Amino acid sequence: GEDVEQSLFLSVREGDSSVINCTYTDSSSTYLYWYKQEPGAGLQLLTYIFSNMDMKQDQRLTVLLNKKDKHLSLRIADTQTGDSAIYFCAETLHGSSNTGKLIFGQGTTLQVKP
Amino acid sequence: GAGVSQSPSNKVTEKGKDVELRCDPISGHTALYWYRQSLGQGLEFLIYFQGNSAPDKSGLPSDRFSAERTGGSVSTLTIQRTQQEDSAVYLCASSLGLAGVIFFGPGTRLTVL
């Protein structure tokens, strides 16, 4: 079935690297996304990776995609207290009835300790 | 506009009343989505519009929920005879076509008393 799994909680110290992991099910996903949600706010698009890529780097963010294992990770270098938020992994579903539909993980709460 | 906008940002209503939530997608985006975020259910897909095609309504939880998109731009999500379990944050998103990257608005927090 359609399922995206994430660990629920991660705690790191300021300045350390954070790695948030996600597994997904649909091998035909076009994009895989990472969204960030701060308390009381909407979903901020953090980064995304096209399914024909293995890695994408954007400043402090590195996304790794392992299509064989259907595993996606987000690495945040030099984590800051402002990075504390919930991070959602999402995959797009395709098919005649699912085009463009996002399936989200449960979200990983990142706690950054000073 | 620069991003997806939604109004109102907060809505408090009494059980049994109807509510309308509005979404303005990013200019030029042909695909528009509604999602719901609640404590017990996480992020759920509700409905999807793409151009002039018939919308994908497969995520609407009951016939009290409906949505329309006028002129291929603004969308309104209507909830009739609201129930307490409808309390959630309703998120709108848009993308440039079927394969475009999906951007979300700030959401409308609905509280049904």
Side-chain angles (χ1 to χ4, degrees), chain A residues 1 10 15 18-19 23 27-28 34 44 52 55 59 66 99 104:
Chain A
L10 176 66
S18 308
V19 180
T23 57
S27 58
S28 65
W34 286 104
Q44 174 195 348
N52 67 354
M55 185 183 85
Q59 300 182 331
N66 180 330
T99 305
F104 286 89

Side-chain angles (χ1 to χ4, degrees), chain B residues 2-74:
Chain B
V4 179
S5 60
Q6 294 185 244
S7 60
S9 55
N10 280 285
K11 176 73 176 177
V12 180
T13 191
E14 294 179 346
K15 179 181 172 182
K17 295 285 176 80
D18 297 351
V19 295
E20 285 189 352
L21 312 179
R22 178 187 166 107
C23 172
D24 280 274
I26 294 172
S27 178
H29 279 194
T30 58
L32 186 146
Y33 315 78
W34 283 98
Y35 285 79
R36 177 169 74 172
Q37 186 177 28
S38 55
L39 279 176
Q41 301 296 322
L43 280 151
E44 303 172 272
F45 167 81
L46 297 177
I47 188 169
Y48 160 70
F49 297 89
Q50 164 56 24
N52 295 322
S53 303
D56 177 354
K57 306 179 183 179
S58 60
L60 294 178
S62 78
D63 57 9
R64 296 186 295 105
F65 288 72
S66 62
E68 62 178 24
R69 189 177 184 192
T70 53
S73 181
V74 172

Side-chain angles (χ1 to χ4, degrees), chain A residues 31 33 35 37 97 100 102, chain B residues 33 35 37 56 58 99 101-102:
Chain A
Y31 290 106
Y33 295 84
Y35 289 92
Q37 187 174 41
S97 62
L102 283 173
Chain B
Y33 315 78
Y35 285 79
Q37 186 177 28
D56 177 354
S58 60
V101 176
I102 299 172

Side-chain angles (χ1 to χ4, degrees), chain A residues 2-108:
Chain A
E2 309 156 358
D3 208 5
V4 176
E5 298 282 343
Q6 298 177 241
S7 53
L8 294 181
F9 185 78
L10 176 66
S11 181
V12 300
R13 292 226 172 263
E14 192 173 19
D16 288 350
S17 291
S18 308
V19 180
I20 302 172
N21 294 299
C22 169
T23 57
Y24 62 96
T25 56
D26 187 356
S27 58
S28 65
S29 290
T30 306
Y31 290 106
L32 293 128
Y33 295 84
W34 286 104
Y35 289 92
K36 176 183 179 182
Q37 187 174 41
E38 297 183 45
L43 291 174
Q44 174 195 348
L45 177 63
L46 200 58
T47 188
Y48 62 93
I49 187 166
F50 197 59
S51 58
N52 67 354
M53 298 168 66
D54 297 323
M55 185 183 85
K56 179 179 180 180
Q57 189 153 3
D58 183 4
Q59 300 182 331
R60 294 190 297 122
L61 305 177
T62 302
V63 178
L64 295 177
L65 175 60
N66 180 330
K67 289 184 284 293
K68 174 176 171 290
D69 295 335
K70 296 180 184 171
H71 182 265
L72 183 73
S73 68
L74 173 70
R75 179 177 181 268
I76 305 173
D78 186 25
T79 313
Q80 303 297 306
T81 54
D83 295 325
S84 294
I86 302 175
Y87 291 80
F88 290 94
C89 167
E91 65 168 339
T92 47
L93 288 188
H94 291 278
S96 60
S97 62
N98 289 323
T99 305
K101 188 187 297 185
L102 283 173
I103 300 298
F104 286 89
Q106 313 94 306
T108 300

